Amino acid sequence: MSSEEKGRGVSTPEKEAPPAFESGTATRVQHRDNEDFYTRNGLNLKSFQRRSDGDITDSLDRTMKTRHLHMIAIGGSIGAGFFVGSGGALRTGGPGFVLIDFMIIGIMMFNTVYALGELAVMYPVSGGFYTYSTRFIDPSWGFAMGWNYVMQWAIVLPLELTVCGVTVQYWDGAKDVSVGVWITVFLVFIIAINVFGTLGYAEEEFWSSCLKLGATIVFMIIALVLVCGGGPAGSRYDEYWGARYWYEPGAFKNGFKGFCSIFVTAAFSFSGTELVGLAAAEAKNPVKSLPGAIKQVFWRITLFYILGLFFVGLLVPHDDPGLIGAADQAYADANTSPFVLVGKYANLTGFDSFMNVIILVSVVSIGVSSVYGGSRTLTALAQQGYAPKFFAYIDRSGRPLYSVLFIIAFGPLAYVNLDADGPTVFSWLLALSGLAALFTWGSICLAHIRFRTAWARQGRSLDEIPFKAVGGVYGSYLGLTLNVIVLVANFYIAISPIGARLNTAEGFFQAYLALPVVIIFWIGGFLWKRTGWLTVDQIDLDTGRRELPWDDINEYRAELAKMPAWKRILHTVFV
């Protein structure tokens, strides 16, 4: 039987059987079911003992539900970059460039996440981004991407903890309390969430995403009313407001440099969107739940980023005094959030505090995500021999214990904020994490391109791919091209920033430190593994592929084919 015939048939293709992977799943289910409630949920000392799975290395629990994946996709990584960082972007480039840059990153992320979804349904393994680079591009590059991703999240944790402390001090009653106290409180909270392992992360993300989604919808409804002149009497918006700020002081600022400068903020705001692919490795049924979750990214991009920032640009001018310092400080301050400023200027009693609570929840959510994303990738690195073996330790409740402790150990770096030189240190930490996500996203697109190339070279049918990226391989080419353009734009700004013809050496590395760090990791991976770029013929497409429910897949495809064109597009892209 040919590959094409197997792809179109109702039986599972022979080459898709991954016995080791499936037996590992069975082992995990048996382990979890055999544990008592307290051990299963990490609430006693016994839960910290090593889980014994024989020679099965990928022994993380598969306890995430469809609702978890959907909310992680639509709101999981929305935090200070969006709610607060957008103020700095607005001041730097104006509302026009903010919209254009966020749209460009949005298009890039749309294609990147769909490419990730296609790969994750077929090869749903822990630490997916790094393993796809290793499998389809170059093991040394995979090493670099794995460690780059680990360090990105390890550095984000103290950054978010500091933002938590600064955000709480927005209220008068908290201003007399040291930031260090609030850092400690939120660090303890993040540790407590991680005690519950995968389900702790999933539930926290579900409810915080629901809150962020609801708050954003409330903001946009209020913003629409204010733009139409429905603000309280005596407020700034008690008359028709429209798009006056797009004319005076203007929609664009600082020319081409303003356009290029906003990409860093936009990229930082979208960081974590790819976590839905990582979380799929711990979902009960990724084949069923992941495609629907991936499709939620469209709504996230349009509802949160594009519409939200469009209204912000209508209601807050780029030269607003409240935005002073938003583009320059090392870490975010809720006082410079345009979402908070709208509430102030509209004289909506309590609305600024409400948005500040949402910002706080968002920032804590990113802190929890940083521990989850960093620890799972580090565990995968250890399982594949790219990190010390003790990081592969998984306890009886399914937590990658030593990997979690490694990421949490970076949390106390937040206390450098108490020192006078704290902002300087944080500028360097931010430099390490600011562009790191771009390399991850570009690698996902390139891995998908290489996967499709090898798939075609081996004469396989696209019908054998259960979930296909909407843009196909061309979408990944577009995503990769936009990644390169954004990196080039940031390189230009690193050399010649706004207000200066040439940057200093210190300024350049603060803006572009991620590149030399990735290169160092790449060289380190080559020296460790002595492996180079894979040829298309060397790419292994079969090991570890998930055994798929082809009866269900073909039934859905048949139903889809019978639908009218408009409904088929709706189900393919959005539902």
Side-chain angles (χ1 to χ4, degrees), residues 70-203:
H70 278 228
M71 293 312 296
I72 289 171
I74 200 169
S77 66
I78 291 176
F82 172 65
F83 286 117
V84 184
S86 56
L90 183 62
R91 182 169 179 80
T92 300
F97 281 146
V98 167
L99 270 187
I100 292 172
D101 282 34
F102 272 79
M103 283 182 180
I104 290 173
I105 298 292
I107 293 170
M108 180 179 76
M109 287 308 304
F110 181 82
N111 288 288
T112 300
V113 174
Y114 263 90
L116 174 61
E118 180 176 313
L119 294 173
V121 168
M122 296 190 71
Y123 308 97
V125 290
S126 175
F129 324 128
Y130 129 76
T131 52
Y132 299 146
S133 294
T134 299
R135 182 175 195 141
F136 301 120
I137 304 174
D138 170 10
S140 300
W141 183 251
F143 175 94
M145 288 300 94
W147 276 104
N148 175 64
Y149 200 70
V150 169
M151 296 311 298
Q152 172 192 335
W153 285 120
I155 291 164
V156 164
L157 178 60
L159 285 170
E160 299 300 326
L161 285 171
T162 300
V163 176
C164 285
V166 175
T167 302
V168 172
Q169 290 193 324
Y170 175 82
W171 292 290
D172 293 335
K175 288 182 178 177
D176 294 332
V177 180
S178 170
V179 172
V181 173
W182 299 118
I183 289 173
T184 303
V185 168
F186 290 109
L187 179 58
V188 170
F189 175 79
I190 290 173
I191 292 172
I193 291 293
N194 280 278
V195 167
F196 295 96
T198 300
L199 273 182
Y201 163 74
E203 287 296 339

Side-chain angles (χ1 to χ4, degrees), residues 430-448:
L430 195 60
L432 282 170
S433 63
L435 295 177
L438 289 168
F439 292 98
T440 297
W441 300 334
S443 296
I444 291 171
C445 291
L446 181 57
H448 182 243

Side-chain angles (χ1 to χ4, degrees), residues 14 142 146 187-188 210 224 256 307 328 364 407 431 440 496 529 566:
E14 294 172 7
L187 179 58
V188 170
C210 287
L224 178 61
F256 184 66
L307 280 179
D328 305 319
V364 173
I407 302 298
T440 297
S496 179
K529 293 297 179 179
W566 67 270

